[in-house]
Amino acid sequence: FSRNAYAGMLPFSPPEIMTADLSPLVLELAVWGVRNPSELSWLTLPQAAAWESARQVLIDLDALDQNGSATKTGKKMASFPLHPRLARLLMHAQELQVPKLGADLAAILSERAILRRPSGHADRCEPDITERLQMFDDWRAGGAQRSCIDVSALRAVDRTARQLYRLLRISSVRAEDAHDSDMVPRLLLAAYPDRIGKKREEGEGRF
């Protein structure tokens, strides 16, 4: 390291609990019956603002009630090996009878990005989630692959999706099964109710 870079380093890495999204932790503890961090002994006490932010997300997802207790929905969400947002997405997919779409969407959102950073001669790949789903379907079906696709990332998504299929007891997975693109925003809304944007009138791509 250069002298300046070394001088700017922190003495040690901060504890993960100081930087991580606390939503999974808060939900797990609520299922155990713990609603306040002061009820436990910690090596590093969670920051109050981060705890409250996580609690509010879980309330928006219907995982906690206003008192911080786990709801029936929250207890079921905690049984999935996913972030609470994606667990809620998966449950909503079951409610809408599109469990395969929910599993594929959750897998894409939970793994690293399937698109590489485009080069000057690469195919134009849009970041829209519906296009990523189509790329995933095309890859599974053995179709043509775009140069901007990270195949190793697609394999990771496929492994995660198939694990979720087993969890949801989806017996058959056919590459030709089409996704209903109209369902995608409904599923995303269930997972990210706090991230709704309204398109601005003055320009495309501004919200």
Side-chain angles (χ1 to χ4, degrees):
F1 303 101
S2 69
R3 184 183 299 274
N4 288 338
Y6 184 78
M9 290 180 179
L10 296 173
F12 52 83
S13 298
E16 185 180 359
I17 200 168
M18 303 298 288
T19 58
D21 177 359
L22 299 184
S23 302
L25 173 65
V26 173
L27 177 57
E28 190 69 32
L29 291 179
V31 171
W32 295 354
V34 177
R35 296 182 296 176
N36 193 306
S38 63
E39 299 176 45
L40 299 176
S41 297
W42 303 83
L43 290 174
T44 303
L45 187 68
Q47 292 181 316
W51 183 278
E52 180 56 32
S53 176
R55 196 177 76 90
Q56 188 56 56
V57 167
L58 293 170
I59 291 173
D60 292 344
L61 295 175
D62 193 30
L64 300 183
D65 61 24
Q66 292 296 330
N67 295 321
S69 298
T71 63
K72 183 178 178 180
T73 298
K75 291 175 182 177
K76 185 174 181 181
M77 287 166 58
S79 69
F80 289 106
L82 293 168
H83 188 281
R85 289 186 185 275
L86 301 183
R88 187 69 188 91
L89 183 154
L90 213 56
M91 289 175 61
H92 196 49
Q94 289 180 296
E95 294 162 6
L96 296 176
Q97 299 183 347
V98 287
K100 180 180 181 295
L101 172 59
D104 288 348
L105 189 55
I108 287 175
L109 293 171
S110 64
E111 296 294 336
R112 74 178 192 270
I114 66 171
L115 299 182
R116 299 191 186 99
R117 186 169 296 178
S119 62
H121 61 276
D123 297 332
R124 184 171 180 268
C125 287
E126 296 292 342
D128 187 86
I129 192 66
T130 53
E131 182 165 348
R132 292 188 214 180
L133 279 165
Q134 187 59 55
M135 291 176 185
F136 182 45
D137 285 342
D138 292 345
W139 172 77
R140 268 187 168 167
Q145 297 176 18
R146 305 192 197 181
S147 60
C148 57
I149 291 177
D150 185 337
V151 175
S152 65
L154 280 174
R155 292 194 186 103
V157 170
D158 187 47
R159 285 194 298 270
T160 298
R162 290 179 187 278
Q163 289 172 355
L164 295 177
Y165 297 160
R166 289 192 291 272
L167 192 64
L168 298 176
R169 298 180 180 177
I170 301 174
S171 56
S172 63
V173 182
R174 298 178 302 172
E176 65 269 20
D177 286 345
H179 286 134
D180 184 349
S181 60
D182 292 338
M183 287 291 183
V184 173
R186 297 175 67 178
L187 296 178
L188 291 174
L189 182 59
Y192 301 95
D194 54 329
R195 297 188 186 179
I196 301 173
K198 182 178 180 180
K199 190 171 183 178
R200 293 181 179 272
E201 295 179 0
E202 60 266 29
E204 189 174 330
R206 292 171 58 83
F207 297 84

